[in-house]
Amino acid sequence: MIVTSTNSSLPIAANVVIGTNIFSDIGASYVDFFGGRSTSYEKKMQEMYKRVTETLKQRAQAIRAAAIIGLSVDIVEI
């Protein structure tokens, strides 16, 4: 399955909601204060991206699409 970032003519969409745990939040608070990278949040974002692309691939295959074109992932904090 091809995934690229150009405009598409048949829109499909997927939503993924992933929560973090208290330990990730505490660790991220220290990273915010002292600087650096939050690997726990990075792993969650990678998991989210993987899950949404897999969902989109399944939906595209269901309508017999040969490619996903115009992939755009928006991440919103709730």
Side-chain angles (χ1 to χ4, degrees):
M1 177 71 59
I2 300 168
V3 180
T4 186
S5 60
T6 327
N7 292 331
S8 69
S9 60
L10 182 60
I12 57 173
N15 295 307
V16 174
V17 177
I18 294 180
T20 59
N21 60 41
I22 187 71
F23 301 112
S24 296
D25 291 340
I26 291 171
S29 296
Y30 285 114
V31 170
D32 285 344
F33 185 76
F34 294 109
R37 294 172 56 174
S38 173
T39 56
S40 60
Y41 278 178
E42 286 178 0
K43 288 178 186 176
K44 288 288 185 179
M45 291 180 74
Q46 289 170 352
E47 176 188 349
M48 194 178 340
Y49 184 83
K50 181 180 176 182
R51 287 176 59 187
V52 76
T53 54
E54 288 301 317
T55 301
L56 288 172
K57 287 178 185 179
Q58 291 171 1
R59 291 182 183 177
Q61 288 172 345
I63 60 171
R64 297 184 154 181
I68 296 173
I69 301 172
L71 176 64
S72 175
V73 177
D74 295 325
I75 298 173
V76 179
E77 181 181 353
I78 299 175

